[in-house]
Amino acid sequence: MNAPVPILMYHAVSTAPNDATRALSVAPEAFAEQIALIDDLGFTPVSTAQLAQWWRATGPLPDRPVLITFDDGYEGVHRHALPVLAKHGFASTLFVSTGWLRGTYDTGGGLDTMLDWDQVRELAGEGVEIGGHSHTHPQLDQLTDDALRFELTRCREIVADELGTAPVSFAYPYGYSSRRVREAVREAGYAQALAVGNALARRRQGPYALQRVTVHRNTGIEEFERLVEGRAIARNFARDRALTKGYAMVRRARQVRKAIRSRV
């Protein structure tokens, strides 16, 4: 019931990613191999909403649960990932930055070829949970209260208008959050949210700070197996964690300077 759960964080699935997305993309062949391994190992993919619901109810989880999540909304999730997931009958969650998707609300910030809303609707129709990832993908912990509220509510409103159902799950852009951000996410109507952390998710983290592990383009199949099995994660991501902690200190210092300036 309280066993840790691996939540895998993907971004682009692409044969030819651009420089902006290359490090956090995976090749279609690698993605297919990774999903096949999850199947071979006997894992049961679930959605973000399902995991949070089970943990809230303290009910029994399925055998070897795992979450497969995608951030931002790259077109390759529809082109390359969806057929593989459908082949295995696997659940997944896609977190969309609504201002990055092609169509009416496009702000031009997308880093590569992004999904359009017809593709998002098709993904939802195939059972992919569609979650929120803000409107323009900012660092939420650096925003004013009004700007933060706008990013969260605008994203949720657009998804609800396009899909007919409001998203219940959220993923923090860049993985950054704070107590203020988490409270704003809850107040905006999201029932759970994912960070990064590069650690296994545990019930004690709470529904608004569940941690994920990052799948990179250079993640080989043996390393991927260790990640999904929860083995040697701390060692694999030691450098990432050090950088994250260092940047967190920089962001907190920025917030303090902003607060001081606002009082002057």
Side-chain angles (χ1 to χ4, degrees), residues 219-237:
T219 301
I221 194 62
E222 292 182 356
E223 180 183 352
F224 180 83
E225 182 174 357
R226 291 194 295 272
L227 295 183
V228 77
E229 294 274 12
R231 292 185 279 112
I233 288 179
R235 183 173 70 247
N236 287 347
F237 289 106

Side-chain angles (χ1 to χ4, degrees), residues 3 24 60 74 100 124 132 210:
L24 287 176
Y74 298 100
W100 281 17
L210 296 174

Side-chain angles (χ1 to χ4, degrees), residues 31-205:
F31 180 77
E33 185 179 22
Q34 291 163 3
I35 297 304
L37 179 63
I38 288 174
D39 204 350
D40 290 343
L41 292 174
F43 280 90
T44 304
V46 299
S47 71
T48 304
Q50 287 172 327
L51 177 67
Q53 181 179 359
W54 277 316
W55 270 345
R56 280 193 175 93
T58 64
L61 295 172
D63 288 340
R64 310 201 78 187
V66 62
L67 273 67
I68 301 166
T69 70
F70 304 90
D71 282 9
D72 302 345
Y74 298 100
E75 193 268 346
V77 175
H78 180 274
R79 179 188 298 269
H80 300 299
L82 179 58
V84 175
L85 295 168
K87 173 185 175 182
H88 292 272
F90 280 179
S92 63
T93 304
L94 166 67
F95 296 101
V96 296
S97 292
T98 48
W100 281 17
L101 302 188
R102 289 180 289 149
T104 305
Y105 318 100
D106 190 351
T107 62
L111 299 181
D112 206 333
T113 303
M114 308 304 292
L115 294 162
D116 62 32
W117 284 101
D118 285 340
Q119 292 171 320
V120 175
R121 278 187 284 272
E122 186 174 344
L123 286 159
E126 292 294 328
V128 177
E129 179 191 2
I130 307 300
H133 197 44
S134 80
H135 185 53
T136 64
H137 204 281
Q139 297 179 23
L140 296 178
D141 59 345
Q142 298 298 305
L143 300 182
T144 65
D145 289 346
D146 288 344
L148 172 59
R149 190 178 306 110
F150 170 81
E151 286 288 337
L152 301 175
T153 58
R154 184 59 175 150
C155 175
R156 197 161 190 265
E157 290 168 355
I158 290 173
V159 174
D161 287 345
E162 290 291 333
L163 303 185
T165 304
V168 296
S169 303
F170 188 83
Y172 304 108
Y174 307 103
Y176 303 154
S177 71
S178 63
R179 178 175 295 180
R180 180 178 69 99
V181 170
R182 292 189 289 273
E183 289 176 352
V185 168
R186 178 180 56 80
E187 291 171 0
Y190 298 97
Q192 52 272 331
L194 303 184
V196 182
N198 286 313
L200 297 180
R202 301 173 186 273
R203 187 169 179 266
R204 67 170 179 261
Q205 292 164 359

